[in-house]
């Protein structure tokens, strides 16, 4: 791939109270298995820095620091990388979650990958008839539990907007049961719910570290499926609260086991995925199929319970060995989906970060990331 400019520098918005210019941006050097910030004043020059290294720098900064922002050039370049293509001629060749999947048009999107090597569909706008899916799941009596955690300041900042937007776009026409897990039940906003929609508030402990909140949700979801959800709903979807529904998120997303392509990784080569590389962790992976985002996952209640049980087991075994996976529950989720292939994958339309900017392959934003306030929220 041709590089548009021979000089790529990181642009820093701010580091605490100090403003930094482009000339202050760090360079990187190879140490062991990874790239690390260098104290050298060598220029960030494409003569010595290949395109793969540029992407490594992009991932390092995006995942490691809340202060650094990449220039739009990088996001544009990543958008030019090619995805694999679906080799199936017809959706009838898929391993079907349900018969309506046979109506998917796998050849309607030549710009993206529409199926996996294990014959599961990857759902993109333009592949499906929404009315067909709505009608079929109504006939089958599908019902959905939505779980979301709003602990500490996340309650006041995000929950009301999340729930209100869900009422406009999430699984309309199907029975939906919201399960809100919070340490302050008295602060849950009073949301007007539509027909066949209910909300249950469950009090949970507020942990000191946000990482512990993130990881412990696996056990809490599993326990709630066992005690309540399995008696009420056919499917479960688990969401992070700092998101907003902006378009249809309908029954086309329902399946036995549902994973989501991470918006920052879906066009990157596999060797740049940030799997846990520590052999001591139960989340350890040498390679994988895709990089999945833990902000959204779902499936039938049986499949979600199996996933959350397995992730929780891995988390606790790591804890006993004084190990913590690189990206916490997301690392364990990726390991689970590597060993137990999802029967359905959602495209990044189903959880998009608008900071990425324009991508020709993203036709709609169904769910978007809300503005992140990690500095304050994760310390309050």
């Amino acid at each position: 791939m041709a590089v548009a400019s021979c000089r790529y520098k990181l642009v820093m918005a701010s580091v605490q109270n100090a403003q930094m210019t482009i000339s202050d941006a760090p360079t990187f050097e190879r140490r062991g298995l990874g790239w690390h910030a260098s104290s050298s004043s060598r220029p960030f020059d494409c003569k010595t820095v290949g395109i793969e290294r540029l992407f490594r720098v992009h991932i390092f900064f995006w995942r490691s620091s809340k202060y650094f922002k990449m220039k739009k050039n990088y996001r544009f370049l990543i958008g030019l990388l090619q995805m694999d293509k679906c080799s199936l001629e017809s959706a009838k060749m898929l391993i079907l979650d349900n018969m309506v999947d046979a109506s998917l048009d796998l050849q309607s999107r030549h710009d993206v990958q529409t199926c996996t090597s294990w014959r599961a569909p990857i759902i993109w706008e333009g592949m499906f008839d929404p009315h067909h899916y709505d009608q079929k799941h109504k006939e089958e009596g599908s019902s959905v539990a939505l779980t979301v955690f709003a602990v500490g300041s996340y309650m006041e900042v995000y929950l009301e907007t999340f729930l209100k937007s869900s009422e406009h776009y999430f699984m309309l026409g199907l029975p939906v049961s919201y399960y809100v897990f919070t340490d302050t039940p008295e602060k849950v906003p009073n949301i007007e719910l539509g027909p066949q929609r209910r909300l249950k508030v469950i009090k949970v402990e507020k942990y000191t570290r946000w990482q512990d909140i993130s990881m412990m949700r696996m056990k809490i979801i599993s326990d709630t499926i066992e005690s309540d959800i399995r008696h009420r709903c056919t499917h479960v979807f688990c969401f992070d609260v700092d998101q907003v529904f902006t378009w249809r998120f309908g029954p086309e997303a329902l399946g036995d086991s549902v994973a989501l392509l991470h918006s920052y990784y879906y066009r990157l080569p596999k060797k740049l995925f940030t799997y846990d590389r520590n052999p001591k962790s139960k989340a350890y992976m040498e390679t994988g199929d895709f990089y999945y985002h833990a902000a959204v996952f779902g499936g039938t209640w049986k499949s979600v319970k199996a996933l959350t049980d397995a992730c929780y087991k891995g988390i606790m075994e790591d804890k006993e060995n004084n190990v913590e996976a690189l990206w916490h529950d997301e690392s364990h989720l990726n390991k689970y989906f590597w060993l137990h292939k999802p029967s359905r994958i959602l495209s990044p339309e189903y959880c998009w970060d608008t900071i990425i900017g324009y991508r020709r392959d993203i036709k709609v934003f169904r769910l978007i990331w809300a503005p992140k306030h990690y500095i304050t929220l994760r310390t309050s």
Side-chain angles (χ1 to χ4, degrees), residues 131-315:
H131 302 294
H132 194 179
Y133 273 88
D134 290 346
Q135 185 61 35
K136 191 65 176 179
H137 277 278
K138 286 179 183 177
E139 293 174 359
E140 294 180 353
S142 298
S143 54
V144 186
L146 183 159
T147 72
V148 64
F149 285 71
V151 178
S153 298
Y154 279 75
M155 159 71 75
E156 298 171 356
V157 176
Y158 296 118
L159 183 61
E160 184 170 2
T161 300
F162 175 86
L163 292 175
K164 284 183 175 179
S165 66
S166 176
E167 279 297 285
H168 286 287
Y169 297 111
F170 182 74
M171 301 295 169
L172 301 184
L174 294 184
V176 172
S177 297
Y178 295 102
Y179 291 82
V180 176
F181 301 97
T182 179
D183 58 324
T184 53
E186 68 279 1
K187 293 184 179 180
V188 174
N190 185 20
I191 303 297
E192 183 177 352
L193 302 178
Q196 301 187 87
R197 299 168 87 91
R198 57 184 289 272
L199 187 149
K200 183 172 183 177
V201 179
I202 299 176
K203 186 171 184 178
V204 296
E205 179 182 351
K206 179 183 178 182
Y207 292 87
T208 304
R209 299 169 65 245
W210 68 265
Q211 295 93 333
D212 293 327
I213 297 171
S214 177
M215 291 188 290
M216 288 304 295
R217 70 169 176 159
M218 292 298 185
K219 173 174 173 51
I220 295 168
I221 291 170
S222 175
D223 289 347
T224 306
I225 290 173
E226 179 62 32
S227 64
D228 190 325
I229 292 174
R230 72 187 188 95
H231 303 293
R232 297 178 179 273
C233 301
T234 59
H235 295 78
V236 183
F237 257 101
C238 307
F239 289 90
D240 284 354
V241 72
D242 50 352
Q243 307 180 101
V244 182
F245 291 92
T246 53
W247 202 253
R248 171 195 169 92
F249 197 119
E252 74 281 353
L254 296 178
D256 180 64
S257 176
V258 184
L260 168 76
L261 294 183
H262 200 298
S263 59
Y264 276 82
Y265 292 86
Y266 73 104
R267 282 193 175 272
L268 288 177
K270 292 180 181 179
K271 56 187 172 183
L272 300 185
F273 294 169
T274 55
Y275 298 133
D276 190 289
R277 308 294 186 179
N278 180 4
K280 296 180 180 180
S281 173
K282 292 297 181 180
Y284 169 72
M285 296 174 65
E286 292 184 1
T287 187
D289 302 304
F290 302 95
Y291 192 84
Y292 302 115
H293 197 175
V296 180
F297 62 92
T300 62
W301 68 261
K302 286 184 179 180
S303 292
V304 176
K305 189 174 191 311
L307 181 155
T308 53
D309 283 345
C311 289
Y312 178 66
K313 180 180 178 183
I315 289 167

Side-chain angles (χ1 to χ4, degrees), residues 14 26 40 45 55-56 84 93 95 101 107 140 144 153 174-176 203 215 245 293 324 371:
S14 63
S40 167
D45 197 308
F55 290 143
R56 287 188 182 277
D84 291 339
M93 301 172 70
I95 297 177
D101 283 347
Q107 304 306 318
E140 294 180 353
V144 186
S153 298
L174 294 184
V176 172
K203 186 171 184 178
M215 291 188 290
F245 291 92
H293 197 175
E324 190 168 280

